[in-house]
Amino acid sequence: MQALAADGYRVVGPVERDGVIAYADLGSGDDLPTSVTVEQSPGRWRLHHDDSGHRFGWTPGADSWKQFVYPAHQEVLRIRRTDGSFVVTSPPPAAQPLAFIGARDCEVRAMAVLDRVVLDPLHPDPRYAQRRDGVFVVAVTCGVPAATCWCTSMGGGPQPAAGFDVRLTEVHDAVGHRLVAEAGSDRGAELLLRLEMGAATTDDLAAANGVARAAADGMPRRLDGAALPALLQGTDHHPNWEAVAERCLSCGNCTMVCPTCFCSTFSDHTGLTDDGSAPIETVREQDWASCFQLDHSTLGGHAVRATTKARYRQWLTHKLQTWTAQFGTTGCVGCGRCTTWCPAGIDIVHEAAVLAGLPTAAQPPNSQKGSSA
Amino acid sequence: MSAPTVAVWKFASCDGCQLTIIDCEDELLAIAAALDLRLFLEAGPSELLDHYDISLVEGSITTAHDAERIRDVRERSGLLVTIGACATAGGVQALRNSADVAGYTAAVYARPDWIETLATSTPIADHVQVDLELRGCPISKEVLLSTITALVAGRRPAPTGHSVCVECKAAGNTCVLVAHGTACLGPVTHAGCAALCPSFQRGCFGCFGPSESADVDALHTAWRAAGIADADLLRALRTFNVAAPEFAGGAQRVQLRAKEHA
């Protein structure tokens, strides 16, 4: 982290705060969570401490890297009246490139999914492009999946396979407790060489792969994600939509915590002047939006998706079905955030399985209160 | 562009929403310049005109006299904007709607026969056409300012109706309901406060009233799953927005389900 900061990066990563894992600016390795484990199940998160000394023994919380490259609130432009004309200015670009410490495989893949949407060649978002450009990614292999995890069903795994500069795996075995680092890019290799860490042995690498394998074997939820787009076709009138709508709060939490949800809304703001003359400046702002908001589907003064049922159907089918046709990737990376952070505990895996006519996921082996089939 | 004439009216209320206008300290000069404030007794102006371009109305209707007076206000007003939980939902004083008002009057006043009051506290919209509602107990200074600036510039004011959760997540707050098991009305409560209470790890107590798609039944199930007692939900729903239809109806159903449960 110090080397990255010295190279000019703004280093951000996990911290323990208010009983959760949040992503924030990091000063040094001391800021990382230590001896933290988490318990996740539909609608429930609890953070615990043990005496392991582990730095990455937890699964991610509601925060995701999206908040740094596609912030919840941002200024888009500023229009200022001048004598007989006007001047448009854009906010200045960020002073520093970002370095992400501790991105999991689902999160690395989520960034790629978001890139495909927000950097679409026809309508690239220049502010996103600027923030995303040159992000240094230190990825981490997941050792202990949460009960809401299902990355292996959505094309990923506990071990990041691409999209990182350095990959860390926390190993704690008979040899000792250590981080095994592997380079994923030239600049990652250059950084590791500069740090003059001891070279990993073949045993170290085997142990790191063992951590990933054990995590994959322990993945609590399984569903054939690749088959979902076809299986969800024709389910528009499935009775399960009504059943979910009875529990769904339409609060929008699932979309807010989703690392690939990209909907946003724009609004213009004018100020006031002390002499009562017309305001001279207008600011256009962009905020995260949600398909659970009535505004989101309001056309001609009326919400097209007026019911919770219609909104939940939009959300789930976009994530798991129509995104593929629209963008060529799945919209879901299997991180489980929407399920953990749903106050009503609605489990996307369970609902998708019911709709697709697949056997519902087996009871998660390490779940405290997994959903019943 | 001449400044619109403005009146601020008070009905049954605590004056807190009017104070929020005065509390715009840094912007007060600009507000005074942008609006032609003719009637605002709390702040001084007391000019009774036949017509005001904008009326800001605080408070609920609790007397026969006020029920008449709000019609008069409506006739004098171009745009009528209600401010706060009292004006939009009847306020905390709507607790009387399901209580014995004559009993209360007798308990409080030495001469209850001198008191003329209605059995109910009702929102302004039950009596006259309302053009825009600003929620909250009290209203949010930011929402008030964005409304004023929109009206002055000729934009459509757009207070959002979504849940507090949207503001909470945008602020990067920890979800106190999911992560701490804290009773929080955020999922059914109208945004506008910038998630003030959850930002301090307190549960939302719903002072902005029901969100556009508030589902109290679903929240009841969620609170039960978090181990929160039905009585706590009833208590939470029956405060500043007790008479808001979504909260009032929701509370009735919570009671029914609690009886079935028992």
Side-chain angles (χ1 to χ4, degrees):
Chain A
M1 282 178 225
Q2 282 156 6
L4 287 168
D7 285 351
Y9 288 98
R10 176 188 168 200
V11 181
V12 294
V15 296
E16 182 188 338
R17 189 181 70 203
D18 300 341
V20 295
I21 299 294
Y23 293 164
D25 286 85
L26 297 176
S28 76
D30 293 340
D31 294 337
L32 291 173
T34 306
S35 303
V36 168
T37 63
V38 302
E39 173 200 339
Q40 300 194 47
S41 58
R44 185 180 156 89
W45 161 289
R46 290 294 183 274
L47 187 142
H48 305 292
H49 291 99
D50 60 20
D51 56 3
S52 65
H54 294 171
R55 311 313 288 269
F56 297 102
W58 42 269
T59 40
D63 279 16
S64 74
W65 309 101
K66 180 174 85 171
Q67 70 203 47
F68 298 105
V69 289
Y70 195 68
H73 175 84
Q74 58 179 308
E75 182 178 319
V76 176
L77 52 82
R78 208 167 263 265
I79 304 170
R80 199 174 176 82
R81 272 195 297 117
T82 56
D83 280 338
S85 184
F86 62 89
V87 178
V88 180
T89 53
S90 301
Q96 293 174 280
L98 288 157
F100 295 159
I101 307 293
R104 309 304 176 109
D105 174 65
C106 57
E107 300 184 310
V108 172
R109 287 183 296 116
M111 284 186 258
V113 172
L114 204 55
D115 287 351
R116 168 64 191 86
V117 177
V118 188
L119 297 177
D120 183 288
L122 285 176
H123 307 284
D125 174 341
R127 296 170 303 285
Y128 178 92
Q130 194 275 329
R131 296 189 189 97
R132 185 74 177 90
D133 186 40
V135 171
F136 194 102
V137 177
V138 178
V140 169
T141 302
C142 267
V144 187
T148 46
C149 285
W150 63 307
C151 63
T152 49
S153 301
M154 296 310 293
Q159 190 171 43
F164 57 84
D165 296 290
V166 172
R167 178 174 70 196
L168 300 176
T169 305
E170 186 165 33
V171 178
H172 196 166
D173 57 15
V175 179
H177 178 201
R178 60 209 185 277
L179 290 171
V180 176
E182 299 164 271
S185 70
D186 289 346
R187 59 181 185 165
E190 188 276 324
L191 178 80
L192 292 179
L193 280 174
R194 191 147 42 103
L195 295 178
E196 296 180 348
M197 298 159 72
T201 64
T202 49
D203 284 351
D204 288 330
L205 293 172
N209 288 331
V211 167
R213 214 167 30 248
D217 290 346
M219 199 60 60
R221 335 291 310 278
R222 282 167 212 282
L223 200 63
D224 186 358
L228 286 175
L231 291 174
L232 288 170
Q233 270 185 28
T235 61
D236 304 17
H237 302 288
H238 195 290
N240 197 51
W241 297 120
E242 288 284 2
V244 183
E246 284 193 8
R247 288 178 291 138
C248 176
L249 289 151
S250 258
C251 58
N253 272 304
C254 47
T255 60
M256 294 286 130
V257 298
C258 177
T260 69
C261 268
F262 59 84
C263 283
S264 65
T265 186
F266 294 85
S267 56
D268 290 349
H269 301 269
T270 40
L272 296 169
T273 51
D274 281 353
D275 62 0
S277 58
I280 55 170
E281 193 168 72
T282 296
V283 182
R284 175 159 297 172
E285 294 174 348
Q286 182 178 7
D287 290 271
W288 285 353
S290 167
C291 47
F292 285 92
Q293 296 166 332
L294 287 178
D295 275 358
H296 188 273
S297 71
T298 295
L299 296 168
H302 295 277
V304 174
R305 291 187 283 270
T307 62
T308 295
K309 171 185 157 185
R311 295 197 287 272
Y312 187 84
R313 184 170 58 197
Q314 160 66 22
W315 141 253
L316 185 140
T317 55
H318 194 212
K319 284 288 142 185
L320 300 178
Q321 179 197 1
T322 56
W323 197 299
T324 310
Q326 192 179 3
F327 299 114
T329 72
T330 171
C332 172
V333 293
C335 72
R337 279 181 177 82
C338 56
T339 300
T340 295
W341 298 99
C342 171
I346 295 170
D347 178 349
I348 192 172
V349 180
H350 177 80
E351 304 308 337
V354 171
L355 291 158
L358 293 169
T360 46
Q363 192 75 359
N366 57 348
S367 163
Q368 308 288 320
K369 49 166 244 186
S371 69
S372 54
Chain B
M1 187 169 74
S2 65
T5 52
V6 175
V8 182
W9 306 91
K10 173 188 161 63
F11 288 81
S13 60
C14 77
D15 290 34
C17 293
Q18 295 186 70
L19 285 173
T20 301
I21 304 173
I22 300 170
D23 192 35
C24 296
E25 293 178 354
D26 291 342
E27 298 85 2
L28 263 187
L29 287 177
I31 290 174
L35 305 178
D36 184 8
L37 276 163
R38 296 299 189 92
L39 181 82
F40 186 6
L41 295 181
E42 182 97 27
S46 58
E47 213 177 325
L48 190 64
L49 303 182
D50 289 340
H51 177 85
Y52 303 91
D53 295 323
I54 303 169
S55 274
L56 302 178
V57 177
E58 180 196 79
S60 67
I61 304 301
T62 57
T63 66
H65 174 248
D66 277 356
E68 281 305 311
R69 192 161 63 94
I70 190 60
R71 291 181 192 283
D72 179 62
V73 168
R74 175 70 269 185
E75 281 175 16
R76 291 175 195 270
S77 306
L79 200 69
L80 194 156
V81 182
T82 54
I83 54 172
C86 299
T88 57
V92 70
Q93 60 272 27
L95 281 165
R96 70 161 68 180
N97 297 5
S98 57
D100 173 13
V101 174
Y104 281 178
T105 313
V108 171
Y109 295 100
R111 291 293 304 270
D113 53 312
W114 288 1
I115 304 297
E116 283 178 26
T117 187
L118 298 173
T120 55
S121 169
T122 45
I124 301 300
D126 279 11
H127 300 265
V128 295
Q129 170 75 35
V130 170
D131 301 306
L132 186 69
E133 292 185 332
L134 302 190
R135 303 287 198 85
C137 184
I139 54 168
S140 131
K141 174 183 156 179
E142 285 67 31
V143 175
L144 175 71
L145 283 171
S146 74
T147 303
I148 291 174
T149 53
L151 292 176
V152 167
R155 275 183 291 116
R156 181 170 168 265
T160 44
H162 54 245
S163 74
V164 169
C165 298
V166 172
E167 294 188 318
C168 221
K169 287 292 181 291
N173 291 337
T174 291
C175 177
V176 296
L177 179 54
V178 168
H180 301 167
T182 299
C184 180
L185 285 180
V188 297
T189 299
H190 194 287
C193 62
L196 181 60
C197 294
S199 297
F200 293 91
Q201 298 191 62
R202 298 279 300 268
C204 165
F205 52 92
C207 70
F208 272 62
S211 60
E212 62 192 7
S213 46
D215 188 337
V216 171
D217 299 350
L219 188 73
H220 186 202
T221 306
W223 277 32
R224 274 190 177 172
I228 304 165
D230 291 347
D232 291 348
L233 180 54
L234 286 174
R235 179 89 179 81
L237 292 169
R238 290 172 170 167
T239 58
F240 314 97
N241 291 279
V242 56
E246 296 86 345
F247 282 7
Q252 276 179 354
R253 290 191 299 278
V254 170
Q255 263 187 325
L256 284 175
R257 288 169 76 184
K259 272 184 199 156
E260 288 165 16
H261 203 61

